Amino acid sequence: VLLSSLLLAPAFADRGSPSTNHSCSPSNISHQRQKRDWIWNQMHIKEEIDAPLPHHVGKITSSIRNENAKYIIEGEYANTIFKVQETSGDVYAFERLDREKKAEYELTALIIDKRNNQSLEPPSKFIIKVYDINDNVPVFVQKVFNGSVPEMSPVGTSVTKVTAVDADDPTVTGHATVTYQVIKGDEHFTVDDSGVISTTRGDLDREHQSTYEIVVKAKDAPGASGDSSTATVIITLTDINDNSPEFKQSSFHFKVPENISVGGEVGRVKVEDIDEPQHRNTKYSFVRGDYRDTFEIVANPYTNEGIIRPKKPLDFEKVAEYRFDIEATDPTVDLRYFKASSPRSISTVTIEVIDVDEPPVFTNLPYEFKVRENDAEVRTLGSVWAHDPDAAKRKIRFSRRRASPSGDYVRVSDTGIIQLPRPLDREYSSSYNITVAAQEILEDGRISDRESHAQVHVIVSDENDNAPELVSPEEPRVCENAVPGKVVIRISATDKDELSPRGFFKFSLATEDSNFSLIENYDNTANITVKYGQFNRELAKIHYLPVIISDNGDPELSSTNTLVISVCKCNEKGNFTFCEERAKQVGVSIQALVAIFICIFTIIVIVLLFLLRKRHKKDPGGLGRNVAEIHEQLVTYDEEGGGEMDTTSYDVSVLNSVRKNGIKQEEVPSPYAQVQKPPGNMASGAGEMEMMIEVKKDEADNDRDLLPYDTLHIYGYEGAESIAESLSSLGSGSSDSDIDYDFLNDWGPRFKMLAELYGVEPHEDLVY
């Protein structure tokens, strides 16, 4: 119908536009415009035409009558898909069109003069519409759909929705209308025309079948005709709590030692609940047996097992076996689906208690004793008692484990008697606690390693054995110009004993001969006030005021405390301007004194050891020698010659040969004191030698560390005019030297031996 109808479309004329250009010959120039119109049929074409190409679309015409006129079209698809016949204006399609790809095409029609390509009419746009045919099958938006529904849902409960799309023109009746049908699984589910899938049965049980796979078909024409496609829908049944738990076995048997702790695990009973874990809420209860006060059954929230725990200690000697019935239920089961015919789930539990060697058991707990402090007559407070709970009934030995405060204040004997080794002091501690251990004595006399403990508390009652003490919050000061009645300080007292119930502390002054008075406040405090006023700082800058404090106890105790009051200078407003600094008492603790004494003792020991070692070094090993043991030795040091302790000996002839040949001896570091040589141009003689000997003698006399040997140091420097050829005693007997060595007798005991050697007559025989 659309193809056969022709609609005339008015051509676009360029009327009233002075800028419009028209191509015409000079002979046809006229001052009046001719009316020209575009004329063509409305263009439509079917998609997918099954006929040879090209396919005629329509025709464009114009009212211009010009033999040189030519039709052309322009646009995106002009001269490719669509072409126009130049002279007739017929438009052809050179490809099969698909409406689902493109439903319409917009082109522009022109008529020109083919001689100069000048436009004879303004261009005009037109549209070619593609007519739809039912050539597409409905397609599901996905191949597989998923849905879920609670089990046991009523009929008609919505599960999920499927969707199929048809690419044909929806404005054409029957071309894009999609209908659905369940072709597999229709005994459990159905689908409506909108694609909603719902249940057709109300007894879908997840425990019987948890998932369903159905196939849905979609077609685009009513009735049996029309193209179609299919999709798979997987439906899952979600769980509801519609099943009760059941025991897996009819009885359970457990063995447990009698010393199991309260709340410990005896065993576990297992049930089976076919619902999902989130719907397993098993409750265990006793139905037969009188032991619900002895045991409890607690459900494990993760495994749904029943854990049996004792609520009180078990005793093999009293009950060796427990037997009772338990039932498993689920209080959260949905009653709408509860099966009344289901049997109760009951199982029998047997618990066998195993005998173990238990530690002793204390009786008559708790243990608390009271004693007055400083009571020397009380030595025994009482006793503790424990027994062997086993059938062996062994004897018990008691011992002390811990004490608070630590120390040997409270003892316990092997038989459990609580004793006091000495009186207790409440001011040190108001209570004394010990831990007593009880152990069994085995048949062979050994002590069992299993023990039990009990706490023993000793409460010490107070007696009035401490006098009150003064409490001064600050150093008292008073102005030298204070007026009578001026409060100097408020004092209070403290007592290590308990406060007497008969009243407060009493305060008084030890003497009335002072410029101070005491006024009680009857609240355990008192005020020290100025009695006469006007203190004289020239006479006393510090006053010592004795204060007596009694405690009203039984017996009444008192103490005298000295209150040190400073007299200060004050300004007109009564503010202190100058006070002498009190000499602060410096105390040293016992620990510090012990440390000081230890340090002093250590220093004394070190000094004594050092002196003994030094004395040992100075002990002369050769002072006991007689004259016959003396050797003459010459040692090759810087100083020539040495004492009897020298070890390297030379013959005198060797020394003389060295001197005469002018050979200089090798310099060796000397352990002896050295003397600076006199300058070389000074005159040599006996005076220089005497001077050197005097120096060495002084050094020997003043050096307490040297051994008392007669030693003459002969230095390498001997002046050219020296008259002493040699001082060696080897040739002393025949020497013709005129030097008198009698002066050696004046040098003291150290040179006594040398004086005897050089002071004898030339013909006197010497005995060595």
Side-chain angles (χ1 to χ4, degrees):
V1 177
L2 293 175
L3 292 175
S4 61
S5 62
L6 296 176
L7 299 176
L8 296 178
F12 293 92
D14 189 11
R15 298 191 179 101
S17 179
S19 61
T20 302
N21 296 325
H22 302 278
S23 298
C24 57
S25 61
S27 58
N28 294 329
I29 296 176
S30 175
H31 294 284
Q32 185 176 1
R33 285 176 56 93
Q34 296 180 359
K35 183 178 180 181
R36 300 166 183 176
D37 296 323
W38 282 101
I39 301 173
W40 59 76
N41 295 328
Q42 186 174 359
M43 296 183 187
H44 294 85
I45 183 172
K46 274 188 178 183
E47 65 172 337
E48 303 294 347
I49 297 176
D50 189 12
L53 295 172
H55 300 151
H56 186 265
V57 179
K59 186 175 184 179
I60 57 176
T61 60
S62 175
S63 60
I64 295 177
R65 297 294 179 260
N66 189 335
E67 59 182 7
N68 294 321
K70 181 175 72 172
Y71 294 99
I72 61 174
I73 57 176
E74 293 179 351
E76 182 180 0
Y77 300 97
N79 301 318
T80 54
I81 297 178
F82 301 100
K83 295 182 180 179
V84 63
Q85 210 283 329
E86 296 181 353
T87 57
S88 63
D90 291 318
V91 179
Y92 294 90
F94 284 80
E95 292 182 9
R96 288 184 174 82
L97 304 180
D98 188 353
R99 192 203 67 84
E100 286 69 40
K101 291 183 179 179
K102 192 170 181 63
E104 59 184 28
Y105 300 86
E106 183 176 335
L107 300 175
T108 301
L110 299 93
I111 183 170
I112 62 174
D113 191 335
K114 60 184 176 181
R115 292 175 299 177
N116 51 17
N117 292 328
Q118 294 293 323
S119 178
L120 300 178
E121 282 293 334
S124 177
K125 294 182 178 181
F126 64 97
I127 296 175
I128 299 176
K129 293 186 177 181
V130 181
Y131 185 70
D132 181 56
I133 63 173
N134 193 9
D135 59 343
N136 289 280
V137 177
V139 178
F140 284 96
V141 295
Q142 57 193 71
K143 287 295 184 182
V144 179
F145 292 86
N146 292 281
S148 62
V149 63
E151 62 174 331
M152 311 301 291
S153 296
V155 176
T157 302
S158 176
V159 179
T160 187
K161 182 178 181 180
V162 296
T163 303
V165 178
D166 195 332
D168 290 326
D169 190 355
T171 61
V172 180
T173 304
H175 282 200
T177 302
V178 181
T179 59
Y180 302 93
Q181 180 184 0
V182 178
I183 59 177
K184 178 185 175 182
D186 55 344
E187 68 274 16
H188 299 105
F189 302 95
T190 185
V191 62
D192 59 15
D193 291 341
S194 63
V196 176
I197 299 175
S198 56
T199 60
T200 59
R201 299 180 59 176
D203 58 351
L204 298 179
D205 192 353
R206 187 199 66 84
E207 287 73 31
H208 176 70
Q209 183 177 349
S210 60
T211 59
Y212 293 86
E213 184 176 308
I214 66 174
V215 179
V216 179
K217 180 178 71 174
K219 60 179 182 178
D220 62 356
S225 61
D227 297 325
S228 63
S229 62
T230 59
T232 301
V233 182
I234 299 176
I235 300 174
T236 302
L237 297 183
T238 58
D239 183 55
I240 63 173
N241 193 3
D242 59 341
N243 293 279
S244 298
E246 296 180 3
F247 283 108
K248 291 186 177 181
Q249 54 194 80
S250 60
S251 64
F252 297 90
H253 187 271
F254 304 102
K255 293 183 178 181
V256 60
E258 64 174 334
N259 62 348
I260 184 174
S261 60
V262 175
E265 182 175 327
V266 174
R268 299 191 177 198
V269 294
K270 298 182 179 180
V271 296
E272 182 180 24
D273 191 338
I274 58 178
D275 288 327
E276 291 288 344
Q278 67 271 19
H279 293 139
R280 298 172 185 170
N281 303 296
T282 303
K283 179 182 178 182
Y284 299 89
S285 56
F286 296 89
V287 293
R288 281 186 295 272
D290 298 330
Y291 303 114
R292 63 187 64 194
D293 61 336
T294 307
F295 298 96
E296 64 178 353
I297 306 178
V298 180
N300 187 311
Y302 303 101
T303 63
N304 209 33
E305 298 172 318
I307 304 174
I308 302 177
R309 295 193 177 106
K311 297 170 63 177
K312 61 183 182 180
L314 305 182
D315 191 349
F316 171 81
E317 286 72 26
K318 293 182 179 179
V319 181
E321 183 180 273
Y322 298 87
R323 185 186 299 272
F324 47 84
D325 294 340
I326 58 175
E327 181 181 11
T329 57
D330 189 348
T332 61
V333 171
D334 195 334
L335 297 179
R336 293 176 299 174
Y337 312 108
F338 178 72
K339 304 174 182 63
S341 60
S342 300
R344 298 174 64 188
S345 180
I346 299 176
S347 181
T348 301
V349 177
T350 302
I351 300 176
E352 181 181 349
V353 182
I354 302 174
D355 186 25
V356 296
D357 185 12
E358 298 177 277
V361 177
F362 280 94
T363 57
N364 300 326
L365 294 172
Y367 297 105
E368 184 174 300
F369 305 96
K370 293 184 178 181
V371 62
R372 287 185 61 84
E373 69 171 326
N374 303 323
D375 191 345
E377 297 180 358
V378 178
R379 286 293 181 263
T380 301
L381 299 181
S383 62
V384 295
W385 178 253
H387 69 278
D388 182 8
D390 299 320
K393 302 301 179 183
R394 300 186 181 99
K395 293 183 178 180
I396 307 300
R397 194 194 76 168
F398 299 92
S399 59
R400 196 184 76 167
R401 285 291 180 263
R402 291 178 295 274
S404 175
S406 60
D408 188 20
Y409 300 105
V410 182
R411 297 176 182 174
V412 59
S413 66
D414 293 345
T415 57
I417 298 176
I418 305 300
Q419 301 170 334
L420 298 179
R422 59 181 179 272
L424 300 179
D425 185 5
R426 193 202 69 86
E427 283 68 46
Y428 179 74
S429 178
S430 61
S431 65
Y432 294 80
N433 306 314
I434 63 171
T435 300
V436 178
Q439 297 172 286
E440 298 176 4
I441 303 176
L442 303 179
E443 287 74 9
D444 56 0
R446 295 183 297 108
I447 303 300
S448 173
D449 56 354
R450 300 180 63 83
E451 62 181 44
S452 56
H453 302 91
Q455 301 296 324
V456 176
H457 306 282
V458 179
I459 307 300
V460 183
S461 58
D462 183 49
E463 70 173 9
N464 194 23
D465 59 343
N466 292 276
E469 298 176 355
L470 178 66
V471 176
S472 179
E474 58 184 9
E475 296 181 357
R477 296 180 297 178
V478 63
C479 294
E480 62 178 340
N481 57 353
V483 298
K486 173 67 175 179
V487 177
V488 178
I489 190 172
R490 171 174 288 191
I491 60 174
S492 61
T494 181
D495 196 334
K496 294 180 181 179
D497 297 319
E498 294 180 355
L499 185 63
S500 172
R502 294 188 299 172
F504 302 100
F505 296 119
K506 292 189 299 184
F507 299 88
S508 62
L509 296 179
T511 176
E512 296 295 334
D513 187 15
S514 68
N515 196 11
F516 299 96
S517 59
L518 185 146
I519 301 176
E520 289 202 51
N521 298 320
Y522 301 102
D523 59 354
N524 284 336
T525 64
N527 292 336
I528 303 297
T529 61
V530 178
K531 182 186 294 185
Y532 306 114
Q534 296 299 323
F535 294 90
N536 189 350
R537 294 184 76 252
E538 299 297 332
L539 297 178
K541 298 179 181 178
I542 296 178
H543 292 261
Y544 298 92
L545 182 66
V547 179
I548 301 175
I549 308 174
S550 59
D551 58 5
N552 288 321
D554 185 17
E556 184 176 286
L557 299 178
S558 63
S559 65
T560 301
N561 304 264
T562 301
L563 193 63
V564 181
I565 303 176
S566 300
V567 179
C568 304
K569 293 181 179 181
C570 300
N571 55 20
E572 296 178 354
K573 297 181 179 180
N575 298 326
F576 299 106
T577 58
F578 177 76
C579 293
E580 275 73 17
E581 290 290 337
R582 298 183 185 179
K584 296 184 178 179
Q585 296 181 353
V586 180
V588 181
S589 63
I590 297 178
Q591 294 83 352
L593 290 176
V594 171
I596 292 172
F597 288 144
I598 291 175
C599 293
I600 294 174
F601 178 76
T602 304
I603 293 173
I604 293 174
V605 171
I606 293 174
V607 171
L608 290 176
L609 292 175
F610 177 76
L611 293 177
L612 290 175
R613 182 173 180 273
K614 188 173 182 181
R615 182 177 180 183
H616 178 71
K617 285 185 176 182
K618 294 174 62 177
D619 186 15
L623 290 178
R625 300 177 183 177
N626 54 25
V627 177
E629 294 177 338
I630 298 176
H631 303 280
E632 286 192 344
Q633 298 174 342
L634 293 177
V635 185
T636 173
Y637 291 125
D638 281 349
E639 58 280 287
E640 297 173 2
E644 281 76 0
M645 294 304 293
D646 294 335
T647 57
T648 306
S649 301
Y650 290 90
D651 190 80
V652 179
S653 60
V654 177
L655 180 61
N656 290 331
S657 64
V658 172
R659 182 176 61 83
K660 291 178 181 180
N661 295 332
I663 300 175
K664 187 179 180 181
Q665 294 186 1
E666 182 180 358
E667 294 183 359
V668 180
S670 173
Y672 297 96
Q674 298 180 358
V675 179
Q676 182 66 35
K677 295 180 181 181
N681 57 356
M682 292 180 64
S684 299
E688 294 177 353
M689 181 58 67
E690 290 180 5
M691 180 184 66
M692 288 181 143
I693 292 175
E694 287 291 341
V695 172
K696 300 305 295 184
K697 179 175 72 69
D698 292 338
E699 291 179 355
D701 288 339
N702 296 324
D703 192 349
R704 300 293 182 180
D705 296 333
L706 293 179
L707 297 177
Y709 292 123
D710 292 339
T711 304
L712 182 61
H713 296 270
I714 305 301
Y715 285 81
Y717 172 74
E718 295 181 1
E721 298 178 359
S722 175
I723 62 175
E725 288 292 329
S726 174
L727 293 180
S728 174
S729 60
L730 297 177
S732 297
S734 60
S735 175
D736 56 350
S737 174
D738 57 354
I739 299 177
D740 185 6
Y741 292 101
D742 290 338
F743 63 86
L744 295 176
N745 294 317
D746 300 330
W747 287 3
R750 295 196 179 203
F751 292 89
K752 181 179 180 182
M753 182 64 67
L754 190 62
E756 292 177 356
L757 293 175
Y758 285 91
V760 298
E761 293 297 328
H763 300 289
E764 186 178 355
D765 295 332
L766 296 177
V767 180
Y768 292 93

